[in-house]
Amino acid sequence: MARKTRLPGRPEGVGDVDGRRSTAVWLVVAICLMAGLWLVLGMFERPGAQVAYSRFLELADQGQVEEVTSEGARLTGVLRTPIRQKDAFGQEVEVRHFVTYVPAFGDDELMARLEKSGVKVDARPDASFPWAMVLFYVLPFVIFLWIGSRLFKRAQSDGNNIFSMGRSRARKYDRETAVRTSFEDVAGNAGAKAELQEIVEFLKRPDRFSRLGGQMPRGVLLLGPPGTGKTLLARAVAGEAGVPFFIISGSDFMEMLVGVGASRVRDLFRDAKRSAPAIIFIDELDSIGRKRGTGLGGGHDEREQTLNQLLSEMDGFESHHHVVVVAATNRHDVLDPALLRPGRFDRQVTVDLPTRQDREQILKLHAKNKPLAPEVDLVDLSRATPGFSGADLANLLNEAALLAARADHDRIYQEDVEKARDKVTLGMERENLQLDEEQRRVLAYHEAGHAVVAASLPHADPLHKVSIVPRGRAMGATEQLPERDKYVYPREDMLDRIAVMMGGRAAENLVLNTATSGAENDLKRATWLARKMVIDWGMSERLRHMAFQVREENPFLGEELGMTHREYSEATARLIDDEVRTILREAYERATEALQHWRGGLDRLADALLHEE
C-alpha cells in the first residue's frame, strides 16, 4: 500500500488544500476556454461570402434566394443555386451561403419583396453585446494576466520582489521566540565578554557612563580565526541586551543591480534609528568592507559604493549616538582603514584561539548533555587539543558521541574520544587501502624515526601517539603534545622540531638505504620553518638579528602587481639560501646521530608497529 506523502516544511493537509485549489482554478479556466470556443464556432457555424445589398435584391427578385435570417442589420441566407463571384483576392469562387447588411437608412419594402419571391424569412434578436468576440480576444489576456500575477506573488514570497529590492534584509532578533543565549553560555574569552558586557551595560544604564563624559562606542569589531566564537558572542549580546537587535550578513547587502547595496545600508540604519537605542550585527564584514581601490579595473564598483554608504552611516555628516554596530570578521587584514579608525569601529576585540584553561571550560560546557565515562578526563583532553577552536572542541565531543552510538555503547568512553580526536585531526581511517609488507615496513621505520628523534632530543615536545594506520591523506602519524601552551618559541625548540621532521627521512636512509615520497610533507614543513627562522626571526649564524621580509604580504592582486616583493639583493638571497640549507643539513645530521645511537629502540618500535597495527 502506497504511503501518503506531504510537502516538507508544511503542516499536514496544507499541500492537499493548495493542490485542490489549483486544480479547481485550472478546471474553471478550461471550461471558459471551451465555452469561448463553442461561441466562436457557433458564430462562424454557417460561413458565407459577403454580397452587395443591391445584388441580394436582384437575386431575391429572380427567385434565387431560398431563405434569409435577420439579426438586426445583418442578413444571412442560402441561395437555391450557387452563383459565382470574385473574392477579396480577385479569384472567382462559388457562393451559396451569403452575408449582407441592410443600409443604415433602412428598406421598408424589403419584407414585401421577400414574401413575393417566396423566400423563407427567419428573425433573431440583435446581439446587444458580442460575447463571442469578447471571449475570443479578452479571455487569453485574462489568462496571461492571472499567470503573471501568480508568478509575481511567488517571486515576492521568495524575497525577489523588484519593488523591495532596496529594502534591508536584516532580521530582527525576537527575544520571545528565539533560543536565548547569554554570556553564561560562552566559555572562555573572558576579555571579549567583558568588552561586550560593557556595551550591554551602556545601553541599559547610559547615565552611569555619561555622567563622567563618556560616550558609547559606535562600533565593536570582533576579530579572530574561524570557529573561535565571534558569532556566539554576538548571540549572547542579543540575548542579554534589552534593546532591538538587527542581524545581517555582509553578503546580504550585495546585489547585481547597481545602488542596491547602498540603499539597503540606508534602510537598515533608518530602521535601527527608529528603534534606538539598538544594535546592528554584521557578520562577515570583509565581504563589503575590503580596502578600496585595489582592483585592476578601477574602484567604482557596487561593493565600494556599499562600503561608502556604510562609512557615512556610521560616522558621517548626520551622526548617530544610539545605534551600536557590532561586526565580525576573520580577515581584518583586508579591511579598509576608514572602517578601523576611531569614530567608526572604536573597539577591536580579538577573539583568539582558546588557551588550555579555556579549552577545559569549553569542553565542560559541551559535555553537559553527554554521558561521559569516569575515565574520560577533560583536563587531559584540553591539554591534548592545542590549537583547537571552540567549534573544533564541540565537533570533537559530537564525533565521540556518534562513534559511541555507532559502537552501541551506553556512554562515551576514552577510546571513543581518542578515535574522534584522530578523526578530527588526521581524517577518516582508510580501511580499504591495501599495503603489502614492504610498504608497511617502510611506513613503520619512517614513523619510528620521527618518534625516536622526538624522544631523544631535549627540547622536543613529548610523544603522544605513533601510528601507521592510513588516515585521510596521511599514511601514518607521529603526534607530539606540548606540556603547556607556548606563545614564544626559542631557537633550540625550532631546531629540535626540524630535526624531528627529518627523522623519517633519516630512518629510511639509515635502515633501508633509500628515500621515499612519504617525506614530502616533512620536507616542506621543515624548509618553511627554516626559512622563517632566517628571514623573519633572525635565527641563523651569519644573518643574526635581521629580518628581510619587512612588509607584510599584500592580499590584493591589484596592489601586489605594483610592488617589488624582494627587499634584499641577489647576494643576500644566496646567503639566505645557504643558511636555510645549513639549518636543514645540520638537523638531518642530528636526526641520523640520534637514530644510530638508539638503533635498537628504533628496530623494536618498528616491529611493534608492524605487529600491533
Side-chain angles (χ1 to χ4, degrees):
M1 180 176 179
R3 296 180 60 187
K4 182 179 179 181
T5 59
R6 62 185 182 89
L7 294 176
R10 293 188 177 186
E12 187 174 358
V14 174
D16 299 336
V17 172
D18 292 343
R20 290 195 296 269
R21 185 181 301 169
S22 177
T23 303
V25 170
W26 284 112
L27 184 61
V28 171
V29 171
I31 293 174
C32 293
L33 285 174
M34 292 176 64
L37 183 63
W38 179 76
L39 288 174
V40 170
L41 292 178
M43 181 178 64
F44 296 108
E45 183 179 4
R46 298 178 63 187
Q50 184 170 348
V51 298
Y53 184 70
S54 58
R55 175 64 173 160
F56 161 69
L57 293 179
E58 291 178 1
L59 294 174
D61 293 339
Q62 296 174 3
Q64 293 291 332
V65 179
E66 182 178 355
E67 63 179 46
V68 171
T69 301
S70 171
E71 296 181 2
R74 185 172 183 269
L75 300 177
T76 58
V78 180
L79 300 176
R80 298 183 187 276
T81 58
I83 62 173
R84 301 186 65 84
Q85 71 174 19
K86 292 184 178 181
D87 59 6
F89 299 98
Q91 298 181 357
E92 286 193 356
V93 294
E94 191 176 78
V95 176
R96 187 164 185 228
H97 298 274
F98 67 90
V99 177
T100 189
Y101 294 91
V102 178
F105 50 81
D107 188 351
D108 297 335
E109 301 179 355
L110 176 60
M111 189 61 190
R113 298 175 68 172
L114 294 178
E115 290 179 352
K116 182 179 178 182
S117 301
V119 178
K120 180 182 178 181
V121 179
D122 187 15
R124 297 181 182 177
D126 184 13
S128 59
F129 193 80
W131 290 106
M133 300 300 295
V134 169
L135 289 175
F136 186 75
Y137 289 106
V138 177
L139 186 60
F141 175 75
V142 174
I143 294 175
F144 287 134
L145 186 63
W146 177 78
I147 295 176
S149 65
R150 295 280 297 181
L151 294 176
F152 180 80
K153 289 180 180 179
R154 179 174 297 180
Q156 188 176 13
S157 63
D158 293 340
N160 298 324
N161 187 5
I162 190 65
F163 299 107
S164 62
M165 188 71 70
R167 296 294 306 275
S168 170
R169 294 188 177 182
R171 305 175 303 278
K172 193 172 182 180
Y173 177 79
D174 192 345
R175 295 172 56 89
E176 296 181 357
T177 59
V179 178
R180 185 176 180 273
T181 303
S182 65
F183 286 113
E184 296 179 357
D185 300 321
V186 182
N189 293 318
K193 286 196 295 185
E195 293 283 348
L196 295 175
Q197 282 175 331
E198 186 175 279
I199 298 296
V200 174
E201 185 68 19
F202 206 118
L203 292 170
K204 291 182 177 180
R205 300 171 56 191
D207 297 339
R208 177 185 175 186
F209 302 90
S210 60
R211 64 184 179 85
L212 299 178
Q215 293 184 356
M216 180 172 58
R218 300 188 182 182
V220 180
L221 184 60
L222 302 177
L223 314 173
T228 52
K230 299 183 293 296
T231 306
L232 180 63
L233 284 169
R235 287 204 299 265
V237 173
E240 295 280 354
V243 298
F245 194 94
F246 297 88
I247 310 163
I248 192 171
S249 175
S251 60
D252 289 335
F253 291 107
M254 304 306 298
E255 198 70 48
M256 184 175 62
L257 301 179
V258 177
V260 172
S263 176
R264 289 175 178 173
V265 172
R266 288 191 296 268
D267 190 67
L268 171 61
F269 276 85
R270 187 183 303 115
D271 293 341
K273 290 176 183 178
R274 290 172 183 170
S275 306
I279 299 176
I280 297 174
F281 175 63
I282 304 177
D283 200 6
E284 304 297 339
L285 179 66
D286 52 277
S287 60
I288 62 169
R290 290 177 179 264
K291 187 177 179 181
R292 292 167 290 183
T294 56
L296 296 176
H300 191 77
D301 60 5
E302 173 65 9
R303 183 192 57 78
E304 292 195 1
Q305 301 311 312
T306 305
L307 174 59
N308 291 336
Q309 187 62 42
L310 178 62
L311 296 174
S312 177
E313 293 291 343
M314 291 190 68
D315 187 22
F317 189 79
E318 296 181 359
S319 60
H320 60 85
H321 300 282
H322 301 286
V323 176
V324 179
V325 181
V326 180
T329 180
N330 50 37
R331 291 297 310 274
H332 66 281
D333 57 317
V334 304
L335 295 180
D336 193 273
L339 272 175
L340 304 178
R341 73 161 176 82
R344 291 200 172 105
F345 283 105
D346 304 271
R347 292 189 178 182
Q348 298 180 22
V349 180
T350 300
V351 187
D352 213 339
L353 291 173
T355 62
R356 195 203 63 77
Q357 292 81 4
D358 291 342
R359 293 196 297 272
E360 180 182 348
Q361 296 179 17
I362 294 172
L363 288 170
K364 290 180 178 179
L365 180 66
H366 291 291
K368 285 183 178 179
N369 61 341
K370 295 177 176 62
L372 299 180
E375 61 187 21
V376 178
D377 190 347
L378 296 181
V379 177
D380 289 343
L381 184 58
S382 66
R383 188 181 67 86
T385 51
F388 275 49
S389 65
D392 293 332
L393 295 172
N395 183 45
L396 171 62
L397 289 182
N398 183 65
E399 288 290 343
L402 295 178
L403 290 174
R406 187 182 304 170
D408 201 19
H409 294 165
D410 57 346
R411 59 183 63 188
I412 302 174
Y413 292 95
Q414 181 65 30
E415 60 175 333
D416 300 320
V417 176
E418 286 293 330
K419 290 181 179 179
R421 197 177 70 85
D422 290 340
K423 181 179 179 181
V424 171
T425 56
L426 302 177
M428 290 283 294
E429 183 176 339
R430 299 164 65 180
E431 299 179 353
N432 59 341
L433 188 64
Q434 300 295 330
L435 299 176
D436 56 29
E437 289 300 320
E438 182 62 26
Q439 289 178 318
R440 295 182 69 246
R441 186 166 180 265
V442 171
L443 289 177
Y445 272 101
H446 183 97
E447 298 303 332
H450 287 306
V452 170
V453 175
S456 62
L457 296 181
H459 300 286
D461 292 329
L463 279 171
H464 177 70
K465 175 185 287 189
V466 183
S467 173
I468 60 171
V469 176
R471 289 180 176 272
R473 298 180 61 184
M475 303 300 294
T478 300
E479 296 186 50
Q480 298 172 260
L481 295 180
E483 295 179 347
R484 62 185 184 279
D485 290 345
K486 295 182 180 181
Y487 305 99
V488 178
Y489 294 90
R491 181 173 180 268
E492 293 75 16
D493 289 8
M494 298 292 100
L495 294 176
D496 282 4
R497 179 175 293 189
I498 296 176
V500 173
M501 296 175 187
M502 290 292 185
R505 171 58 62 87
E508 293 173 357
N509 190 21
L510 177 65
V511 179
L512 307 173
N513 195 25
T514 185
T516 69
S517 60
E520 176 186 1
N521 187 47
D522 299 329
L523 298 177
K524 286 183 177 179
R525 292 190 297 126
T527 305
W528 175 85
L529 185 55
R531 188 166 289 274
K532 290 286 289 184
M533 291 176 63
V534 176
I535 294 179
D536 295 332
W537 300 332
M539 291 183 179
S540 65
E541 290 294 335
R542 291 188 289 176
L543 297 174
R544 290 186 177 183
H545 321 306
M546 295 180 65
F548 298 96
Q549 194 71 30
V550 179
R551 289 183 294 185
E552 295 184 0
E553 296 181 1
N554 199 301
F556 298 106
L557 179 62
E559 290 189 358
E560 183 128 347
L561 292 178
M563 296 176 58
T564 302
H565 299 284
R566 181 175 293 177
E567 300 174 346
Y568 42 85
S569 65
E570 291 291 337
T572 304
R574 286 193 294 270
L575 187 57
I576 290 174
D577 292 339
D578 291 341
E579 290 296 291
V580 172
R581 191 178 300 112
T582 299
I583 292 176
L584 296 175
R585 184 182 67 252
E586 292 178 352
Y588 181 82
E589 292 174 354
R590 293 179 65 205
T592 303
E593 291 175 1
L595 294 177
Q596 289 174 344
H597 185 269
W598 299 101
R599 175 60 188 270
L602 175 65
D603 293 334
R604 288 193 298 272
L605 180 55
D607 290 340
L609 289 172
L610 289 172
H611 288 88
E612 295 294 333
E613 297 197 359

